[in-house]
Amino acid sequence: MNMNEPLPLVSKLAKRNYLRKYGMLTAFLLICLVLSLLTPGFFSIQNTTIILRQVSINGILAIGVTFVIISGGIDLSLGSVVAFTGVVAALFAHPGEYPLIIALGMAILAGLAIGGVNGLAVTRGKVAPFIVTLGMMTIARGLALLASDGRPVTGLSDSFNYIGGGSVLGVPIPVLIFGAIILLSSFILNKTRLGRYLYAVGGNEKAAYASGIRVNSVKVLSYMICSGLAAIAGIVLASRITTGQPNAGLAYELDAIAAVVIGGTSLSGGIGSIGGTVLGVLLIGVINNGLDLLNVSSYYQQIIKGAIIIAAALIDRKK
Amino acid sequence: MKLFEIKINAGFFASGLLALAVLGGGCRQAGQAGKPVIGASMLSLQSEFIVKVKDAMEAEASDRQIRLIVNDAQRAAVTQVQQVESFIAQGVDAIILNPCEMEASSPAVQKARAAGIPIINVNSETTAEPDGFVGSRDEESAEIALQHIASLLRGKGNLVIMHGYMGQAAQLKRAAATKTLLADFPEITILAEQTAEWDRAKAMSLMENWIQSYGNRIDAVFAQNDEMGMGALQALEQAGLKDKVIVVSIDAIDDALRAVKDGRLDATVYQDADAQGRQAVQMALDFIQKRDSVEERSVYIPFRLVTRGNVEEFLK
């Protein structure tokens, strides 16, 4: 396969992607403008740092699920995987017991294992991704409660807590991790064979299979990337709140999937980009932050958030 | 072949039913002669506090030679009603109910009473009146917390309030008590109030956003539970504002107690899970032994303020 010669179809899709991206970018800039005018504290380096730190967990999750959605799947187990891997990390992060790398490694291994099971059930078991990951949502939550005995795992080491709380040259570490994941996953999706295979499998599975792509392996990998990233989000969350919380991450998958869809990734697979997802994540983050700054009642907040998500998507489709 | 299978299944089923019947009968007999049986349906064993109540109930049950069956209703009133129905069918001697909801869990209470099995509500109430109640007055927790904030502020200052999940009984009662109590302190202004859904990560984000918009004007934070209080505390510490802002929350979870001890959290309010669980089992046993002649039918266990001065007695 030669990657330097885009097919006509691909370039057409790319054009449509550009329109989608710019539609959303306009909406995003408009919302930022309105919020800057309404709230004095909004447009500042300090608040930008705060927003970036707040979105980093949802951002890491959204990028993970972008891989799965592009390949034509869905992952509803994200929030529970965040809780489970956060608990696993916390269990190995008590001061003076294990080196930090063990805590991180065990959590990521747990995430990869869950992704592997999801992927195998979808490919070998031929069960709909919606069902598999819905089941896994409950299983992972149960595992989190089992591993933690239903109580938050507290008393974690300073080095572990530094991941979520510390910063390097004024940039919070979660933001640096988020940034690194953006770069790495854009590279994988745009520049590697795996990336092209993911789009191909999501776009037309039969054609992908006919052209010799090992569809099942590609799909399993997408679930493993997704859950592996969820484990990183789990580590960041546990570290940020300095506890492994078995109840953490409730409904996180919904915010992640919302960000992906706002970013123009098609839920039917084959279309989508990391840039779009990042924009979706930022949009949700800016709305959350702005409405808090304006002290909008929490009842209205829910309505406004939902309406803005739908409106943003509408502007996008009109273009 | 197929017929054979069906026969086997039917036989299996029948013997299962028989076993169940024997077991059920056994329970009833045991209730009169040997070990009494108590069935308990708990709101959610995912909640740290409820797990503590359950642990206390189990400890008391084993001290008193009682067989305790604990079911997790997973926050669903429908499940809870079904669990109580099966307790009735099993013929347990008493039921302890930790209600999911005031209204929707009421049928469980009515069914148990209709079946003549004593039912005791623990921790929260239902509209239907049970035989006995063991719990605390949720309003009291907010009153104690705010009273402490008001005295630290000397009756004057700006307050922000973090609510629990909107519409839940604990959130509503703590909010109502907050309003009533603050009416006595006209010079305490509420700068902002918002839900952080009992969640530490959400509370951290909310506090960061409040610091951004109100900055140095915030004098005190009241969070309706410790998880949120800890989140607010961490955000304030990161912004270097903790020395100027008072943080008080409710529940006395281990993390919060440690923070009080270290002088980070100003105060928390202790709800006595141990006493609630143990006294619920004691009351159930009372009802089994004395039936209608039980005198004390509602026990209110007081909340207690935990500050650096008395935190040692709460830390295990």
Side-chain angles (χ1 to χ4, degrees):
Chain A
M1 219 183 235
N2 186 351
M3 54 175 265
N4 294 326
E5 271 179 13
L7 300 160
L9 176 71
V10 173
S11 74
K12 221 185 213 174
L13 287 181
K15 253 183 204 164
R16 238 166 81 196
N17 262 341
Y18 263 102
L19 283 178
R20 279 164 189 262
K21 240 186 237 170
Y22 285 130
M24 200 44 51
L25 196 62
T26 320
F28 175 71
L29 292 176
L30 264 176
I31 289 171
C32 284
L33 183 72
V34 171
L35 286 172
S36 321
L37 292 176
L38 288 174
T39 38
F42 180 80
F43 196 69
S44 64
I45 291 177
Q46 199 188 357
N47 196 43
T48 310
T49 314
I50 287 174
I51 293 176
L52 287 175
R53 189 167 58 202
Q54 288 173 359
V55 301
S56 50
I57 288 170
N58 186 35
I60 295 168
L61 291 173
I63 287 180
V65 80
T66 304
F67 279 88
V68 171
I69 292 178
I70 283 178
S71 74
I74 190 87
D75 192 344
L76 300 178
S77 64
L78 286 178
S80 301
V81 175
V82 166
F84 175 51
T85 53
V87 166
V88 169
L91 286 173
F92 290 94
H94 295 301
E97 285 183 9
Y98 301 95
L100 181 62
I101 192 77
I102 299 285
L104 308 186
M106 293 303 282
I108 291 172
L109 274 180
L112 290 175
I114 287 178
V117 172
N118 277 340
L120 286 176
V122 167
T123 53
R124 294 289 153 92
K126 295 195 169 48
V127 184
F130 187 91
I131 307 293
V132 169
T133 57
L134 193 64
M136 186 54 78
M137 177 188 197
T138 313
I139 293 173
R141 181 70 60 190
L143 289 173
L145 287 160
L146 201 64
S148 63
D149 207 12
R151 297 164 172 79
V153 183
T154 56
L156 311 183
S157 69
D158 289 342
S159 58
F160 182 78
N161 290 340
Y162 193 72
I163 301 170
S167 46
V168 175
L169 300 173
V171 186
I173 292 175
V175 178
L176 292 175
I177 295 175
F178 180 34
I181 288 171
I182 294 174
L183 294 179
L184 191 65
S185 40
S186 306
F187 177 77
I188 291 175
L189 273 183
N190 297 324
K191 304 277 181 219
T192 67
R193 199 184 288 178
L194 174 65
R196 277 179 282 121
Y197 286 180
L198 282 165
Y199 282 105
V201 169
N204 187 337
E205 196 177 322
K206 277 179 190 157
Y209 184 77
S211 63
I213 295 175
R214 284 158 63 197
V215 172
N216 283 356
S217 308
V218 171
K219 281 188 176 176
V220 172
L221 269 178
S222 76
Y223 284 99
M224 287 177 73
I225 292 173
C226 182
S227 299
L229 288 177
I232 294 178
I235 292 167
V236 172
L237 179 67
S239 161
R240 184 159 145 81
I241 63 179
T242 65
T243 43
Q245 284 272 13
N247 303 326
L250 273 181
Y252 275 22
E253 58 278 349
L254 297 183
D255 259 2
I257 294 169
V260 174
V261 173
I262 289 174
T265 296
S266 159
L267 275 182
S268 44
I271 301 168
S273 68
I274 296 297
T277 295
V278 171
L279 203 55
V281 167
L282 288 175
L283 186 78
I284 292 181
V286 160
I287 294 168
N288 280 337
N289 172 267
L291 294 182
D292 274 351
L293 292 192
L294 288 169
N295 196 25
V296 176
S297 138
S298 50
Y299 300 142
Y300 284 114
Q301 281 210 13
Q302 303 194 22
I303 297 169
I304 294 171
K305 269 182 229 166
I308 290 183
I309 289 171
I310 294 176
L314 273 178
I315 294 173
D316 195 40
R317 297 291 176 271
K318 282 266 151 63
K319 281 226 161 181
Chain B
M1 189 66 189
K2 202 156 193 198
L3 202 77
F4 187 59
E5 260 179 35
I6 289 171
K7 250 189 198 157
I8 284 185
N9 283 342
F12 200 71
F13 189 62
S15 61
L17 271 182
L18 200 72
L20 262 180
V22 170
L23 209 75
C27 280
R28 251 182 224 286
Q29 273 170 7
Q32 281 139 15
K35 247 184 173 185
V37 180
I38 299 176
S41 169
M42 309 300 286
L43 160 72
S44 162
L45 294 183
Q46 296 198 20
S47 144
E48 194 188 358
F49 181 80
I50 303 297
V51 171
K52 279 188 183 167
V53 175
K54 184 210 75 170
D55 288 350
M57 282 165 51
E58 279 171 347
E60 185 68 21
S62 86
D63 289 353
R64 302 224 166 199
Q65 300 281 312
I66 297 169
R67 201 162 86 83
L68 180 72
I69 308 165
V70 179
N71 285 357
D72 182 359
Q74 300 184 345
R75 296 191 189 277
V78 190
T79 313
Q80 185 151 57
V81 174
Q82 284 164 358
Q83 287 171 350
V84 168
E85 281 169 352
S86 72
F87 285 145
I88 296 170
Q90 285 172 46
V92 298
D93 300 293
I95 294 169
I96 295 175
L97 184 76
N98 170 216
C100 293
E101 282 168 55
M102 270 189 92
E103 201 57 55
S105 293
S106 285
V109 174
Q110 288 158 345
K111 285 183 177 172
R113 297 204 70 173
I117 297 175
I119 182 161
I120 288 106
N121 283 1
V122 63
N123 186 252
S124 38
E125 294 165 49
T126 51
T127 335
E129 200 186 328
D131 294 285
F133 173 80
V134 178
S136 301
R137 223 171 45 81
D138 231 332
E139 289 87 350
E140 194 190 355
S141 62
E143 288 160 14
I144 291 175
L146 281 161
Q147 200 61 260
H148 188 63
I149 290 175
S151 74
L152 288 176
L153 287 176
R154 296 200 177 82
K156 196 177 165 187
N158 293 324
L159 177 68
V160 291
I161 300 172
M162 288 189 182
H163 290 260
Y165 212 89
M166 302 301 270
Q168 279 184 356
Q171 182 266 327
L172 292 172
K173 286 183 179 173
R174 289 172 190 183
T178 304
K179 233 173 220 161
T180 324
L181 195 109
L182 283 183
D184 297 343
F185 298 97
E187 284 183 279
I188 293 181
T189 320
I190 299 177
L191 273 187
E193 49 186 325
Q194 193 70 255
T195 179
E197 299 177 356
W198 308 120
D199 182 283
R200 192 181 298 204
K202 286 191 175 130
M204 244 178 125
S205 297
L206 180 59
M207 195 67 227
E208 286 167 355
N209 293 346
W210 276 343
I211 292 170
Q212 192 58 32
S213 50
Y214 302 106
N216 291 324
R217 286 194 296 151
I218 302 170
D219 298 314
V221 181
F222 168 48
Q224 284 187 343
N225 79 344
D226 281 341
E227 284 295 342
M228 298 190 293
M230 292 301 294
L233 181 67
Q234 281 172 251
L236 284 165
E237 282 174 344
Q238 272 183 7
L241 284 171
K242 182 55 198 88
D243 297 340
K244 296 176 197 153
V245 183
I246 297 157
V247 182
V248 176
S249 50
I250 299 173
D251 279 349
I253 62 172
D254 294 347
D255 231 18
L257 289 174
R258 241 173 281 137
V260 170
K261 191 184 173 207
D262 297 342
R264 297 167 59 215
L265 188 68
D266 293 274
T268 176
V269 180
Y270 178 71
Q271 182 172 194
D272 199 338
D274 197 63
Q276 290 191 9
R278 283 183 177 271
Q279 299 214 20
V281 171
Q282 286 166 19
M283 190 185 275
L285 193 61
D286 257 16
F287 270 101
I288 293 170
Q289 288 164 348
K290 301 188 210 156
R291 284 280 143 187
D292 287 337
S293 58
V294 176
E295 277 167 20
E296 211 173 9
R297 288 174 178 235
S298 46
V299 174
Y300 286 94
I301 292 153
F303 283 94
R304 293 167 68 196
L305 183 72
V306 185
T307 58
R308 212 172 176 184
N310 66 349
V311 67
E312 290 297 342
E313 57 179 292
F314 298 92
L315 276 166
K316 271 161 263 163

